[in-house]
Amino acid sequence: MPQPSDQVNGAKSSRNERLGNRKRQPDATSGSDVDNVASAGDSAQRSELKLASYSEAIGRVAHLASYLGSPAALHDLRQVEKTRQLELRQEKKIHDLKVALDSLAHTKSEETENLRRRNEKLAARQDEAEKAIKHSEAAKIALRDQATAADQARDEKIQQMKDELNKRLKDERARLEERMKTSHAELETKKGKEIGELKFQTATLSETVEQLRRELAAAEETHGLQRRDHERAQKVLEQEVEQLKAEAEFAIDPQSPDTYTDQLAQVARSIHMTALKYFRALPEEAKHDPEETQKRLGGSKAAFVSTPISDSPAAQFLRLANVQQVISTEIRGLIGQPFFANNANSKGDGQMLNDISERLSTSSRRSESIWRSLTLQGLSSSEPSGEINAETLAVENIVAKLAPLVTPSELPRLKEDLFQVTRQALHVWRMLRTDSCRISIDPHPQNPGWRLYYEPEIEANLGTTDATRSSRDTDMPSVCLFPRVIGDFEGQNEPTVLYPGLALFPNHPAFAQGAHEQEEFDQAFKTVKREVVARVASKRLSISSPNVEFRNPTWQSAAVAYN
């Protein structure tokens, strides 16, 4: 049985043969017609030939019609249709492949063009980069030459500075040595004179002391019995006097408001005179190192925050005000409480006694006074050193805060004057504790009713310079040189102002001038500090001198720059 492919191939072959014969036949006919026309031109022969060709064509058509009517032809046509469809699909695929190839070729040409353009841009950039590299190399060489020249100039400048400084040090050393020689000779001469005088005085004093010893021995031998009798009588009298003092001390003794006004004014004047005596001018040690002086102020540093460490009029004025504030703060602790903390077992007990005193005074002033006198009498009999301890503690606190502003040689005299001030304050306290009046102390200055601090000699030198107010003095609190004291006396309807209070307010020109002066000094110090740091950082300047010593060179340079 033949295969379908063989049948298809056979059908194809038959169809191709028939088509070939059909094509060839017309060609042959055409050729014969041409030959007949060319050779004889006989129309009958042409007609016969045409009939013969028509007969043959009709036969072929009949044969084809019989073939097409057969089942084999139908099968062949189906195979031919399938084959044609297959060919069409292949042709379509081929067309699609051609389109894809054309698209790829177009894309390839575009990418090739883009790559060509990129290569051109890269080549141009490479040329520019090479030019920039050449330019940077030239600039680097120029900078290297400039750096070399700058290093040479700097080395020459440093060497010149070294030579000048060494010369200055040498000259200064020579002047110091000459001055020391002169001072040494003067001291030797003065010392010789003083030694001669001391020897003469010693001889004279030795004779005087020996004479006094002989007289004392004779007097003791003559009056020994009388002295012993006198001592016994004196002890008896002292006991009687102490008893009378105790009775008078703890008795209720009302005082007038004028008495308290005079006593408080005297305390304020003593504080003012002490400040003028010791703190108007600064010692050289304090001005030599202002930073160290500020550190040593310790707890009172905040009070002197806008006060320059100098002897300018503004600095003197502010310093005197702040010193009086420090002293009056401690004095306020002595006057403002009826019981000292060391009169009781603890600080809490002292506060408890003060609270009891406050509550009793609201009900009966006389009852509170009697209770306070008896309580103080009992406490003083068990601890008689309460006032002495409070006085000593107040003086020590003041000296600890203000010691950096005075010379060490003046500290003993300062303590003696401060003890005088505290004794005056304790005298007011003794008057108050045996009186039925109650006082209140206000250390917060306000413009209405307060006295303004005034120093004519210093303020006359302040001038009229309108220094720009800085941020540091706009928020400065007022300075309370002495608090406002108000007394509530028994039998009076309104309280009495015993002392109106003495204060310095921030709108005073001294605050602005002091702050301006301090800012100028701080700026000068910062400038000098930056110069010193720059010199140290360079690590090129190394100066050594075994015989010359500088103490805190940064502050010395700042002081020179400021002045």
Side-chain angles (χ1 to χ4, degrees), residues 2 4 84 88-89 127 138 140 186 191 194 225 258 274 282 287 312-313 315 374 397 416 419 430 457 470 502:
R84 181 60 181 166
L88 290 174
R89 285 194 297 270
D127 294 339
K140 186 186 293 184
E186 293 177 355
K191 184 178 179 181
E194 291 179 351
L225 182 60
D258 293 338
T274 302
L282 279 176
K287 293 186 291 185
S312 65
L374 294 174
N397 288 340
E416 292 178 2
F419 274 112
R430 294 189 192 99
E457 295 182 4
S470 62
L502 183 62

Side-chain angles (χ1 to χ4, degrees), residues 19-52:
L19 293 173
N21 292 333
R22 188 184 301 172
K23 291 179 180 180
R24 286 193 298 271
Q25 187 62 34
D27 292 340
T29 305
S30 299
S32 62
D33 289 340
V34 172
D35 291 339
N36 292 331
V37 172
S39 63
D42 187 60
S43 60
Q45 189 176 357
R46 286 199 304 273
S47 298
E48 291 177 357
L49 290 174
K50 288 180 179 181
L51 290 172

Side-chain angles (χ1 to χ4, degrees), residues 414-460:
L414 174 62
K415 287 185 178 180
E416 292 178 2
D417 291 347
L418 289 175
F419 274 112
Q420 293 295 331
V421 177
T422 55
R423 291 188 185 102
Q424 293 174 3
L426 285 174
H427 177 66
V428 177
W429 178 79
R430 294 189 192 99
M431 292 166 56
L432 287 170
R433 73 177 184 175
T434 58
D435 198 344
S436 60
C437 75
R438 304 289 297 179
I439 67 168
S440 60
I441 298 177
D442 181 16
H444 305 291
Q446 296 179 357
N447 278 323
W450 282 68
R451 291 180 183 174
L452 300 180
Y453 177 53
Y454 180 62
E455 286 290 347
E457 295 182 4
I458 300 177
E459 290 190 75

Side-chain angles (χ1 to χ4, degrees), residues 67-269:
Y67 171 74
L68 292 174
S70 64
L74 183 60
H75 181 270
D76 290 338
L77 288 174
R78 290 175 179 173
Q79 293 296 328
V80 169
E81 186 179 0
K82 292 180 179 179
T83 303
R84 181 60 181 166
Q85 291 177 355
L86 181 62
E87 289 176 354
L88 290 174
R89 285 194 297 270
Q90 290 178 353
E91 289 176 358
K92 186 177 183 304
K93 290 181 179 180
I94 291 170
H95 177 73
D96 294 338
L97 290 174
K98 286 182 179 180
V99 173
L101 288 174
D102 292 340
S103 177
L104 290 173
H106 180 70
T107 303
K108 180 180 179 182
S109 64
E110 289 181 351
E111 292 181 353
T112 303
E113 181 64 21
N114 292 334
L115 289 174
R116 185 184 64 77
R117 292 176 181 174
R118 290 181 182 177
N119 288 333
E120 291 177 355
K121 290 181 180 180
L122 289 174
R125 290 181 180 177
Q126 186 174 3
D127 294 339
E128 292 177 358
E130 290 177 355
K131 292 179 181 179
I133 290 172
K134 291 180 181 178
H135 181 71
S136 64
E137 290 292 337
K140 186 186 293 184
I141 293 172
L143 288 174
R144 188 183 299 115
D145 295 339
Q146 293 178 2
T148 302
D151 290 339
Q152 292 177 356
R154 185 180 58 219
D155 294 339
E156 292 176 358
K157 184 66 176 179
I158 290 173
Q159 186 62 38
Q160 183 180 0
M161 292 174 63
K162 283 184 178 180
D163 296 340
E164 292 178 357
L165 187 57
N166 288 331
K167 182 179 178 181
R168 289 173 58 187
L169 291 174
K170 185 176 180 181
D171 296 341
E172 185 67 22
R173 188 184 299 113
R175 286 195 297 269
L176 288 174
E177 290 177 355
E178 184 65 24
R179 193 178 302 170
M180 290 176 63
K181 289 179 181 179
T182 304
S183 300
H184 182 71
E186 293 177 355
L187 288 174
E188 287 293 335
T189 303
K190 185 177 180 180
K191 184 178 179 181
K193 293 181 180 179
E194 291 179 351
I195 290 174
E197 293 177 357
L198 289 174
K199 287 181 179 179
F200 177 75
Q201 292 177 2
T202 301
T204 304
L205 288 174
S206 298
E207 295 177 357
T208 304
V209 168
E210 186 64 27
Q211 180 65 27
L212 291 174
R213 285 178 179 175
R214 290 193 295 268
E215 293 177 358
L216 181 61
E220 288 180 350
E221 183 177 357
T222 304
H223 304 287
L225 182 60
Q226 295 178 358
R227 185 176 62 253
R228 286 191 295 271
D229 294 340
H230 177 72
E231 288 177 355
R232 285 195 296 269
Q234 185 176 1
K235 288 181 180 180
V236 174
L237 291 175
E238 286 179 354
Q239 292 176 357
E240 293 178 353
V241 169
E242 290 295 330
Q243 185 176 358
L244 292 174
K245 283 183 178 180
E247 293 176 355
E249 184 178 5
F250 296 105
I252 298 175
D253 185 17
Q255 301 292 334
S256 65
D258 293 338
T259 303
Y260 288 110
T261 299
D262 295 338
Q263 293 295 326
L264 291 172
Q266 183 178 356
V267 174
R269 283 193 300 270

Side-chain angles (χ1 to χ4, degrees), residues 237-468:
L237 291 175
E238 286 179 354
Q239 292 176 357
E240 293 178 353
V241 169
E242 290 295 330
Q243 185 176 358
L244 292 174
K245 283 183 178 180
E247 293 176 355
E249 184 178 5
F250 296 105
I252 298 175
D253 185 17
Q255 301 292 334
S256 65
D258 293 338
T259 303
Y260 288 110
T261 299
D262 295 338
Q263 293 295 326
L264 291 172
Q266 183 178 356
V267 174
R269 283 193 300 270
S270 298
I271 294 175
H272 177 238
M273 296 306 298
T274 302
L276 280 176
K277 181 178 180 180
Y278 295 99
F279 299 96
R280 180 170 181 174
L282 279 176
E284 292 298 325
E285 294 84 358
K287 293 186 291 185
H288 182 73
D289 194 347
E291 184 184 35
E292 183 64 22
T293 302
Q294 288 284 359
K295 291 180 180 178
R296 290 178 58 200
L297 285 174
S300 59
K301 182 178 180 181
F304 296 89
V305 65
S306 291
T307 305
I309 305 299
S310 67
D311 280 335
S312 65
Q316 289 183 358
F317 186 81
L318 294 175
R319 184 167 56 251
L320 290 175
N322 290 321
V323 166
Q324 293 179 66
Q325 182 185 33
V326 172
I327 298 175
S328 66
T329 301
E330 293 295 332
I331 298 301
R332 188 172 72 241
L334 295 177
I335 301 176
Q337 56 180 349
F339 300 95
F340 293 122
N342 53 359
N343 283 129
N345 294 328
S346 65
K347 188 175 181 179
D349 293 339
Q351 184 62 40
M352 181 189 67
L353 294 175
N354 290 332
D355 294 339
I356 295 173
S357 175
E358 289 288 342
R359 287 194 293 268
L360 286 175
S361 64
T362 58
S363 60
S364 174
R365 293 287 185 83
R366 184 169 182 80
S367 299
E368 186 275 338
S369 301
I370 296 173
W371 172 83
R372 177 160 29 96
S373 298
L374 294 174
T375 304
L376 285 170
Q377 185 177 4
L379 292 174
S380 299
S381 61
S382 60
E383 293 182 10
S385 61
E387 297 179 16
I388 299 176
N389 292 338
E391 179 184 11
T392 303
L393 181 61
V395 171
E396 294 298 332
N397 288 340
I398 296 172
V399 172
K401 294 176 181 179
L402 302 179
L405 302 179
V406 295
T407 59
S409 60
E410 290 180 334
L411 284 177
R413 294 192 298 273
L414 174 62
K415 287 185 178 180
E416 292 178 2
D417 291 347
L418 289 175
F419 274 112
Q420 293 295 331
V421 177
T422 55
R423 291 188 185 102
Q424 293 174 3
L426 285 174
H427 177 66
V428 177
W429 178 79
R430 294 189 192 99
M431 292 166 56
L432 287 170
R433 73 177 184 175
T434 58
D435 198 344
S436 60
C437 75
R438 304 289 297 179
I439 67 168
S440 60
I441 298 177
D442 181 16
H444 305 291
Q446 296 179 357
N447 278 323
W450 282 68
R451 291 180 183 174
L452 300 180
Y453 177 53
Y454 180 62
E455 286 290 347
E457 295 182 4
I458 300 177
E459 290 190 75
N461 297 323
L462 286 177
T464 58
T465 302
D466 187 14
T468 303

